């Protein structure tokens, strides 16, 4: 059986925890000093869900999916592969 990713043997639709780096935008409505900016770091995020596709460009993960409909997905994320620190398979 071939998966939506086109591979016969794949890891798609397995439950995973993806640890990845996200941008860190200042959410405070104040001025920042140069030192505040120098000390800023990207956010390290952990996301749980179903792995939909992983290729050399991106990881697509699903937070919700229809129980009986293979074409109904919600809370999806497309994460650039270079931002992914780790993928832990939970199932």
């Amino acid at each position: 059986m071939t998966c939506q990713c086109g591979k016969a043997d794949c890891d798609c639709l397995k439950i995973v925890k993806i640890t990845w780096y996200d941008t860190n935008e200042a959410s405070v409505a104040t001025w920042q000093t140069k030192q505040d900016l120098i000390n800023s770091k990207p956010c390290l995020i952990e996301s749980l869900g179903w792995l939909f596709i992983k290729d050399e460009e991106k990881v697509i993960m699903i937070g919700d999916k229809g129980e009986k409909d293979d074409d109904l997905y919600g809370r999806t994320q497309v994460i650039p592969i270079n931002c992914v620190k780790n993928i832990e398979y939970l199932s």
Side-chain angles (χ1 to χ4, degrees), residues 18-83:
I18 299 178
T19 305
W20 58 286
Y21 291 99
D22 198 3
T23 59
N24 183 3
E25 182 178 341
S27 59
V28 292
T30 62
W31 288 94
Q32 294 180 309
T33 66
K34 185 187 325 181
Q35 195 59 47
D36 289 338
L37 293 174
I38 290 170
N39 293 337
S40 295
K41 298 194 182 318
C43 298
L44 191 58
I45 307 298
E46 293 181 332
S47 298
L48 298 172
W50 286 274
L51 179 63
F52 184 64
I53 291 175
K54 177 186 171 206
D55 61 26
E56 59 280 340
E57 177 185 32
K58 67 193 172 297
V59 173
I60 300 177
M61 132 179 251
I62 300 166
D64 302 301
K65 63 184 185 71
E67 181 180 8
K68 296 179 182 174
D69 188 345
D70 289 340
D71 198 31
L72 188 60
Y73 305 104
R75 293 189 306 121
T76 59
Q77 295 186 71
V78 179
I79 304 169
I81 196 72
N82 292 333
C83 294

